[in-house]
Amino acid sequence: MQVLETIAQLRNWVAAKKEAAQTIGFVPTMGALHDGHLTLAKAAKAENDVAIMSVFVNPTQFGPHEDFDAYPRDLARDVALATSVGVDAVFAPSVAEMYPHDGGIRIHAGRQATILCGASRPGHFDGVLQVVSKLFHLVEPTKAYFGQKDAQQVAIIQTMVRDFNFPIELGIMPIVREEDGLAKSSRNMYLTEAERAQAPHIYAALQLARDVLQNTHDAAAAVSAARTHIEAHTSGRIDYIEVLSYPDLAAVDATTTDVLIAAAVYIGSTRLIDNIFVSNGGQ
Ligand code: PAF
């Protein structure tokens, strides 16, 4: 396992792999690794000659009042976990290494970023695309891996790869859940014991919404059922629960085949997201 801290070190590592005609599987992360990340890393290793992970808490995707400073950081732990699943290198740059120039060019994420998480986190997806595009240029991966838990992020990155012609395949892996259904997330560690007990109701509400949608073909009824469940079983504050087409993230209609039901709920001060897919079931 190699830990690469500079762009020069990363470029040397990539050049050697390209020289040897090796395929590169890439897992971008912000660290605080959990089983979801490790599932991505295992797939990257299994499907490519070498696997590399980035660990970088990207400041440009956090809003001014978000948890950038508090975001959990433990590189030694992350490197040990990445090593345990066969990752060959970890790229862990400083903020100054990634963003040495102020006021540089930004990517505008477009319509898909104006809704769901984008509505309450303005500029978030512009920051995600900024760092992901930089990482794609630096790592030149054959295939890059993302978790379906961040369904909106996945949809927007798919659009960037398509529109900017990145010669990169995307591997999208299913959500990894705790035994009680809570989607694994680095932010789960912020939850108190009482909040942790409430958190699985987000997934329960999404399952209920899926059942209502399949039975009634009524998106509003599905959202209403999920809202009622969350309000009855948690003290959380709903940011959104929405039924949308996927991956374009538009209103569903009779022609929609792939439906995303997505939710963001504040449990205490922790904002948790989750989603569920309904194929051919929405309408
Ligand atoms: O999903 C994440 O952890 C981040 O948004 C990503 C893709 C690593 C970019 O910082």
Side-chain angles (χ1 to χ4, degrees), residues 28-30 37 56 58 61 124 128 131-132 146 150 153 157:
T29 82
M30 297 205 301
H37 298 114
F56 178 63
N58 173 37
Q61 68 189 76
H124 168 69
V128 170
V131 77
V132 170
F146 295 89
D150 299 306
Q153 169 171 281
I157 290 172

Side-chain angles (χ1 to χ4, degrees), residues 60-82:
T60 70
Q61 68 189 76
F62 287 80
H65 305 297
E66 293 184 351
D67 56 346
F68 173 70
D69 289 330
Y71 202 83
R73 291 164 172 87
D74 186 344
L75 184 60
R77 175 183 172 277
D78 291 338
V79 168
L81 285 171

Side-chain angles (χ1 to χ4, degrees), residues 92-151:
S94 65
V95 171
E97 182 71 12
M98 284 297 274
Y99 300 120
H101 311 292
D102 231 8
I105 290 172
R106 298 292 300 266
I107 299 180
H108 179 51
R111 182 192 60 77
Q112 285 168 303
T114 59
I115 51 170
L116 302 177
C117 293
S120 55
R121 303 187 71 189
H124 168 69
F125 289 109
D126 295 355
V128 170
L129 293 190
Q130 179 183 27
V131 77
V132 170
S133 61
K134 275 175 80 84
L135 290 167
F136 280 1
H137 284 302
L138 293 168
V139 177
E140 298 178 49
T142 316
K143 187 165 176 177
Y145 296 80
F146 295 89
Q148 192 64 64
K149 179 170 151 298
D150 299 306

Side-chain angles (χ1 to χ4, degrees), residues 79-91:
V79 168
L81 285 171
T83 306
S84 74
V85 292
V87 170
D88 299 282
V90 166
F91 177 51

